Amino acid sequence: MPVYLMLTTLTDKGREAINEDPEKLREINKEVELLGAKIIDQYALLGQYDFVNILEAPSNEVMARMSTRLSAKGTMHTMTLAAIPLDKLIDSLKSRETPW
């Protein structure tokens, strides 16, 4: 299944919500799974982003829908990146099937 990294930055509204009830983070995780993705791992960050989530999802469309719905709440901004396993990248680079 495809793997994705989701970098998240909380808005003022999101920071207030989590400050009032930190368990809201777990509620968001449940929503992510209901939207079709599986959380592999997640970390709180120091720096430009507040969280990084490593997710599996069946397609780019599922990830786009999930990112859009989560961002629409106004509590966070997301940047989602498709991740390519290193072995797959190496195999692709070794492939000589392309015309160039």
Side-chain angles (χ1 to χ4, degrees), residues 83-98:
I84 302 168
L86 191 58
D87 288 340
K88 283 189 175 187
L89 176 62
I90 290 169
D91 288 345
S92 174
L93 293 171
K94 287 180 178 178
S95 173
R96 303 290 182 220
E97 296 178 20
T98 59

Side-chain angles (χ1 to χ4, degrees), residues 12 15 29 35 40 63 74-75 77 79-80 86 95 98 100:
D12 289 341
R15 282 188 290 278
N29 289 350
L35 290 169
I40 303 302
M63 285 304 297
T75 58
H77 300 287
M79 179 169 48
T80 305
L86 191 58
S95 173
T98 59
W100 50 274

Side-chain angles (χ1 to χ4, degrees), residues 10-20 72-76:
L10 296 173
T11 63
D12 289 341
K13 181 179 172 182
R15 282 188 290 278
E16 286 177 25
I18 289 174
N19 190 45
E20 289 175 16
K73 294 175 179 255
T75 58
M76 67 182 80

Side-chain angles (χ1 to χ4, degrees), residues 19-92:
N19 190 45
E20 289 175 16
D21 183 9
E23 289 296 322
K24 287 201 180 284
L25 292 169
R26 296 191 200 285
E27 292 173 21
I28 295 167
N29 289 350
K30 288 178 190 173
E31 188 173 352
V32 164
E33 296 205 357
L34 287 172
L35 290 169
K38 178 182 176 189
I39 298 169
I40 303 302
D41 216 343
Q42 55 191 170
Y43 299 91
L45 303 173
L46 301 175
Q48 181 178 355
Y49 296 96
D50 297 312
F51 299 96
V52 63
N53 295 283
I54 303 166
L55 307 149
E56 284 183 340
S59 67
N60 291 338
E61 292 79 12
V62 167
M63 285 304 297
R65 180 180 68 226
M66 185 190 65
S67 296
T68 301
R69 289 195 180 162
L70 291 176
S71 294
K73 294 175 179 255
T75 58
M76 67 182 80
H77 300 287
T78 64
M79 179 169 48
T80 305
L81 306 165
I84 302 168
L86 191 58
D87 288 340
K88 283 189 175 187
L89 176 62
I90 290 169
D91 288 345
S92 174

